[in-house]
Amino acid sequence: MLSRVADNLYWMSRYLERAEHIARVMEVQYNLMLEATAESEEERWRRVLRTLGVRVKEGESVVEVAHSLTSDPDSPTSIVHCVMSAREIARQVREQISSEMWEQINRLFHAIRRADRVDLWQSDPLDFFQSICEGSYLFQGITDSKMTHGEGWHFIQLGRYMERASTLSTLIDAHYSEFDVALDPSVESDGDHLEWVGLLKSCTAFEAYCKVYSAETRPDRIGEFLILSPNFPHSIRFSVDAVETALRAISGLSSGKRSSRIERITGRLRAMLSFSQIDEIMAAGLHSYLQNVLKQCADAHSALHQVYITYAIEAALEA
């Protein structure tokens, strides 16, 4: 596969995963704002921005920046920007994806273009967020059922789960940093119960978590589920496992490209997640652990581009 095509499929998938993640977090937090709370709207939106890894510049309105994450095409972190970027990339690789995939991403693109930033927040933004999430789910399902599971499909999986591992790490880190769980993370926090439910829902994990642990919102159990679960699709470990699986498949299909460095990085990260215990993570510091995950994801992303996208001609000839 041409490196340009591989890069496009990878980024198309990352942009769609990012749009879905932002929409889901915004939807959950908007619903939490409807609950009785003494916290100001500005402070809550500031927290939302932190969980999404968005920084507010000096002099900017926190609420305005949060609102720009929906339908501002000029904001590189907005839902609209992500969907528009994914659609433009899909247009460039139409011969590599199925017609149903193109139709779905095009349908999602036209739906977000009809959304007006001002009217959206004055009416009901929940429908907008839900349409983004549902559109992303449809695209993923169509991709899995309509596209040959060859090299291109594996690059799409790679982009989806690389983005998911990174965004989950940022989200979980920001949430645990916001709420002090250092004293006893094994005790349910009554005052912040809705916030912990909100974290689980932001990861589509509330019902799945309740089936495993019941509805008791203990920070250590929530952390164990969202970070270390090997079976839940929106856990960090599951995402890293999927990244390594995709890389191994691509390596086997790519005619001997030198992929040992990236496989070493992802293998080390996978081993770290496989053999970690949540009590050890909490004791040593959850923040540093998740920052390490983010760093290794960034290293894997860089190695991926060096091996499969921006490699020198000489390296390709040697392979």
Side-chain angles (χ1 to χ4, degrees):
M1 173 173 286
L2 293 175
S3 60
R4 173 186 62 83
V5 174
D7 190 41
N8 281 340
L9 292 173
Y10 173 81
W11 276 108
M12 176 190 71
S13 186
R14 286 201 71 154
Y15 276 125
L16 281 177
E17 178 68 23
R18 189 175 304 171
E20 178 201 325
H21 176 76
I22 296 170
R24 186 169 57 250
V25 171
M26 297 281 279
E27 178 187 3
V28 171
Q29 293 301 324
Y30 189 80
N31 275 317
L32 285 177
M33 289 180 189
L34 302 179
E35 302 288 340
T37 176
E39 188 175 33
S40 70
E41 180 184 13
E42 180 175 339
E43 182 54 38
R44 180 169 287 280
W45 280 126
R46 191 182 299 278
R47 182 192 305 165
V48 172
L49 295 176
R50 283 195 292 267
T51 63
L52 294 173
V54 178
R55 295 184 178 181
V56 180
K57 298 178 182 178
E58 187 175 353
E60 286 186 321
S61 165
V62 174
V63 177
E64 280 297 311
V65 173
H67 288 187
S68 74
L69 290 178
T70 54
S71 52
D72 183 0
D74 297 324
S75 173
T77 55
S78 74
I79 295 171
V80 167
H81 179 85
C82 291
V83 173
M84 290 175 66
S85 298
R87 189 256 192 182
E88 174 58 25
I89 292 172
R91 186 186 63 81
Q92 297 176 28
V93 291
R94 284 192 63 178
E95 71 281 358
Q96 299 292 330
I97 63 177
S98 71
S99 58
E100 292 88 352
M101 290 169 65
W102 166 251
E103 289 169 3
Q104 174 56 28
I105 199 169
N106 204 38
R107 190 178 301 115
L108 184 58
F109 166 76
H110 287 292
I112 60 102
R113 288 197 66 182
R114 290 193 294 268
D116 181 83
R117 179 181 174 186
V118 177
D119 290 342
L120 177 67
W121 288 99
Q122 289 179 347
S123 56
D124 185 2
L126 292 178
D127 287 342
F128 176 80
F129 298 141
Q130 290 171 2
S131 68
I132 297 299
C133 293
E134 290 171 0
S136 176
Y137 300 151
L138 279 171
F139 183 84
Q140 293 174 19
I142 291 170
T143 300
D144 290 346
S145 62
K146 295 287 187 177
M147 186 177 184
T148 300
H149 288 202
E151 196 171 5
W153 183 82
H154 287 297
F155 271 104
I156 291 175
Q157 303 306 302
L158 186 58
R160 177 191 304 170
Y161 287 106
M162 187 76 80
E163 181 69 21
R164 186 173 296 179
S166 299
T167 54
L168 284 172
S169 298
T170 301
L171 172 66
I172 296 167
D173 186 22
H175 188 93
Y176 276 78
S177 297
E178 183 75 22
F179 297 95
D180 186 9
V181 297
L183 295 178
D184 191 352
S186 65
V187 176
E188 183 176 12
S189 178
D190 295 330
D192 300 323
H193 174 75
L194 283 178
E195 301 296 341
W196 291 104
V197 171
L199 172 62
L200 288 167
K201 289 185 175 180
S202 294
C203 302
T204 69
F206 180 65
E207 290 190 9
Y209 170 85
C210 290
K211 287 179 172 63
V212 176
Y213 293 110
S214 80
E216 185 182 14
T217 53
R218 282 175 42 180
D220 59 339
R221 288 180 174 178
I222 293 174
E224 183 176 49
F225 191 72
L226 296 180
I227 299 169
L228 302 178
S229 173
N231 302 316
F232 182 63
H234 275 82
S235 76
I236 297 175
R237 179 180 171 184
F238 186 100
S239 301
V240 171
D241 287 351
V243 165
E244 189 180 42
T245 299
L247 282 170
R248 289 187 180 279
I250 292 169
S251 177
L253 295 168
S254 58
S255 304
K257 282 192 184 295
R258 299 176 177 178
S259 58
S260 59
R261 178 168 176 260
I262 185 173
E263 290 180 359
R264 186 167 60 252
I265 293 171
T266 56
R268 183 167 58 242
L269 177 56
R270 184 179 185 181
M272 183 182 81
L273 289 162
S274 298
F275 295 103
S276 293
Q277 299 291 323
I278 193 61
D279 55 342
E280 297 173 352
I281 294 174
M282 292 287 193
L286 180 63
H287 174 71
S288 60
Y289 185 90
L290 292 174
Q291 287 299 307
N292 188 21
V293 172
L294 281 169
K295 181 182 181 302
Q296 292 192 58
C297 285
D299 290 344
H301 170 80
S302 298
L304 169 72
H305 270 248
Q306 291 174 9
V307 172
Y308 293 108
I309 310 300
T310 60
Y311 56 85
I313 297 297
E314 292 79 8
L317 293 175
E318 289 176 7

